[in-house]
Amino acid sequence: MKITFLSLFPNLLRGYFQDSILGRAKEKGLFEVEFVDFREFSHDRHKKVDRPKVGGGAGMLLEPQPLADAIEAVKGPRSWVIFLTPAAKRFNQNDAKRLSQKEHIIFVCGRYEGFDERLIELYADEVLSLGDFVLTGGEVAALAMSDAILRNVEGVLGNPESLREESFEGNLLEAPSFTKPDSFKGKKIVSEFLKGNHAKISALKYDMAVMRTRYYRPDKRIADEK
Ligand code: SAM
């Protein structure tokens, strides 16, 4: 798996892949990252990449030429081009799993007031939003999505079991978890968790996951509920 980031600020992105789980997985060659500053593709003598909107409206837009040339330069026959914008479908865990099967993902990070729409029409295989809020640029969205995608790439997580018990598996949020000590500032671990009956613990965890999902995410349909 390779991820290419098209961004005006590649330095915002690089550091994320240098440490921790993703840093180690990259060292092992489990994925590759590439950072491309599309300002380098501008034909303007001052390397400008933005222009006022046609037809009025506040702010500047990314003009077509530099990004189009950058995409054409990095794109191969198996690339999957994702434009990042709040005006799109929200990214979720199913997208993370699905996209972890791609060979090459290109994230196009916007800035200013976003893209000339024709770039999306011409080049996007998919258009994704990180959530219902507006960021100053697509870099944080690209990093969040890359992280969620890469932890589903085989070998990236030391223990693949961790993926099975996480939030959003079976549409449920993860149940509360505890570690030592058994009592902390007067708060005790749920007593059943200490007794070692794994069937009981997992039934209890399921009930807690259902309750938590109902409380925080009433919008989610729970699999075996009518
Ligand atoms: N004018 C745009 C709108 O209202 O839809 C917002 C532009 S935003 C200030 C600049 C860039 O940040 C966008 O082009 C996009 O790449 C990125 N961005 C902002 N919010 C985002 C979100 N929720 N998800 C993904 N990308 C986002």
Side-chain angles (χ1 to χ4, degrees):
M1 145 86 71
K2 176 176 172 181
I3 302 184
T4 299
F5 299 88
L6 296 184
S7 160
L8 293 176
F9 301 99
N11 284 340
L12 294 180
L13 297 159
R14 282 196 182 90
Y16 196 73
F17 300 95
Q18 279 164 12
D19 287 307
S20 189
I21 292 176
L22 294 185
R24 287 194 292 277
K26 182 162 76 70
E27 284 297 298
K28 283 194 208 157
L30 294 171
F31 69 90
E32 222 184 296
V33 279
E34 175 184 39
F35 308 96
V36 176
D37 180 353
F38 57 84
R39 191 181 294 285
E40 298 302 320
F41 291 81
S42 171
H43 292 168
D44 179 81
R45 93 192 141 91
H46 302 294
K47 297 277 176 207
K48 261 178 77 72
V49 291
D50 57 321
R51 283 178 187 275
K53 288 181 180 172
V54 171
M60 306 289 274
L61 274 191
L62 288 165
E63 64 178 310
Q65 177 271 314
L67 254 178
D69 287 1
I71 294 169
E72 282 171 22
V74 298
K75 196 169 146 58
R78 291 180 188 279
S79 305
W80 189 253
V81 181
I82 301 176
F83 275 68
L84 298 163
T85 161
K89 175 203 164 305
R90 264 179 305 184
F91 176 80
N92 64 27
Q93 184 70 1
N94 286 339
D95 296 317
K97 287 186 185 165
R98 172 176 58 82
L99 293 168
S100 70
Q101 304 303 311
K102 299 280 180 207
E103 240 172 67
H104 181 206
I105 293 174
I106 299 172
F107 277 118
V108 187
C109 304
R111 280 272 154 180
Y112 314 111
E113 282 312 315
F115 311 100
D116 182 306
E117 190 65 23
R118 291 166 295 178
L119 281 164
I120 293 180
E121 286 169 15
L122 286 166
Y123 294 107
D125 291 305
E126 189 163 359
V127 189
L128 287 173
S129 163
L130 185 63
D132 293 349
F133 43 79
V134 180
L135 301 161
T136 53
E139 288 76 11
V140 168
L143 285 180
M145 291 179 200
S146 301
D147 186 309
I149 292 166
L150 288 169
R151 60 203 300 291
N152 285 284
V153 168
E154 208 181 323
V156 168
L157 288 192
N159 180 2
E161 277 296 294
S162 346
L163 286 172
R164 283 206 310 119
E165 291 187 357
E166 283 181 322
S167 293
F168 308 113
E169 288 306 309
N171 227 17
L172 288 175
L173 301 185
E174 190 184 47
S177 303
F178 304 90
T179 180
K180 292 287 175 188
D182 296 357
S183 177
F184 181 70
K185 296 192 187 243
K187 294 259 175 213
K188 298 213 165 73
I189 291 181
V190 175
S191 59
E192 202 60 54
F193 282 27
L194 299 167
K195 295 184 191 157
N197 181 335
H198 292 290
K200 267 196 168 169
I201 294 173
S202 94
L204 185 58
K205 279 193 169 177
Y206 177 78
D207 289 344
M208 290 162 98
V210 169
M211 282 189 275
R212 181 180 262 187
T213 308
R214 279 200 194 123
Y215 184 77
Y216 286 116
R217 297 297 302 270
D219 57 303
K220 286 213 168 284
R221 212 168 147 253
I222 297 168
D224 57 2
E225 280 190 335
K226 302 281 173 301

